[in-house]
Amino acid sequence: MNFDQLKEQWNNEDSNVHIPDTIEQLKESKHPIEKIQKNMKKEFPAQVLAIILIGFFPLQFKFPASQYLIYYTSYAMMVVISSYYLYGFYKFYKQADLYTGNTKNSLWKIFHELKLNMERYQSFGFLLLPHFLLTIGLVIYNTLEEKGKTLSELTNAHQYSLILTVLIGTLFVVISIILWTKYIYGRQAKQLESILNEIDE
């Protein structure tokens, strides 16, 4: 007796229990996974290109040669962190590619890997903040120096305004990273979770 016959026989009996279309639901789960893969295909080259372009910031912002060591030490650390993240990103992409949707366990595995990848994605964004704060600091320092001023010469009001601006900017970036992660992967994660919950029921 195949699965469809068993389901029909069960549903014909006087019972409130309803067997879900498990096989169909597992097949449907391929759709959100395919969307995840499409998003990853677009993001991976964009992220690699962005990391390369960040290396040219000192030329773009005309940093003096004396600041190159400071900048590129921070940049090297960022590249190491990015390489680790991008390797995990690629690994997850290959795992999603192997998913066939044949078993509930494999669907749970890909769901948990997706949640882990979302956390890793956010952490990666947060880890880039110190480098960008350093870059902004160098830009501000060089701008003041061009005007013949130093940070110590700024009035208390200007210093507080600068600190507040940096704090607000950092908070804005953190919120943006969280919202962007939810926008890119959150919908597919909810779809997978919904399918898994239906199967459990």
Side-chain angles (χ1 to χ4, degrees):
M1 184 180 292
N2 63 29
F3 181 80
D4 290 329
Q5 288 174 330
L6 177 64
K7 180 188 168 186
E8 186 179 350
Q9 185 179 340
W10 186 284
N11 288 336
N12 285 336
E13 293 179 6
D14 293 332
S15 173
N16 293 326
V17 179
H18 177 73
I19 299 175
D21 297 319
T22 306
I23 304 301
E24 290 305 314
Q25 286 167 333
L26 287 170
K27 286 178 182 177
E28 282 173 18
S29 68
K30 187 71 178 173
H31 182 59
I33 291 168
E34 284 170 353
K35 280 187 176 180
I36 290 164
Q37 286 181 303
K38 282 180 184 178
N39 289 340
M40 292 179 82
K41 266 186 181 178
K42 291 175 187 175
E43 274 207 282
F44 189 82
Q47 288 178 2
V48 172
L49 181 62
I51 290 165
I52 293 168
L53 291 176
I54 288 168
F56 294 99
F57 275 11
L59 298 174
Q60 186 180 353
F61 293 115
K62 297 177 181 178
F63 289 173
S66 60
Q67 293 177 353
Y68 281 15
L69 180 62
I70 299 169
Y71 183 86
Y72 284 111
T73 299
S74 176
Y75 178 72
M77 290 173 66
M78 191 196 77
V79 168
V80 171
I81 292 167
S82 301
S83 299
Y84 172 76
Y85 163 73
L86 290 171
Y87 172 73
F89 190 89
Y90 176 76
K91 201 173 172 184
F92 172 68
Y93 177 81
K94 296 307 280 183
Q95 282 179 335
D97 198 39
L98 293 171
Y99 173 72
T100 57
N102 291 331
T103 66
K104 177 186 169 184
N105 285 340
S106 64
L107 183 57
W108 266 116
K109 185 179 178 182
I110 208 73
F111 173 72
H112 287 300
E113 286 294 327
L114 173 60
K115 296 292 280 185
L116 182 64
N117 195 64
M118 287 171 69
E119 290 294 326
R120 192 186 294 127
Y121 187 95
Q122 289 180 1
S123 299
F124 172 64
F126 301 151
L127 287 169
L128 296 182
L129 272 173
H131 178 74
F132 286 111
L133 288 172
L134 174 72
T135 305
I136 292 166
L138 290 173
V139 169
I140 292 169
Y141 177 82
N142 292 330
T143 303
L144 289 171
E145 198 172 56
E146 283 176 11
K147 295 177 180 178
K149 295 180 179 179
T150 62
L151 286 170
S152 60
E153 291 175 5
L154 292 175
T155 62
N156 287 337
H158 280 104
Q159 288 181 13
Y160 293 144
S161 296
L162 184 60
I163 292 167
L164 187 62
T165 302
V166 170
L167 285 173
I168 291 170
T170 303
L171 184 63
F172 174 77
V173 171
V174 168
I175 292 169
S176 297
I177 290 167
I178 293 168
L179 292 176
W180 179 252
T181 305
K182 286 183 179 179
Y183 174 75
I184 292 291
Y185 300 113
R187 194 178 303 167
Q188 285 76 37
K190 281 183 180 178
Q191 284 178 334
L192 288 175
E193 190 175 17
S194 176
I195 291 166
L196 284 164
N197 288 337
E198 286 177 25
I199 292 170
D200 283 338
E201 289 170 8

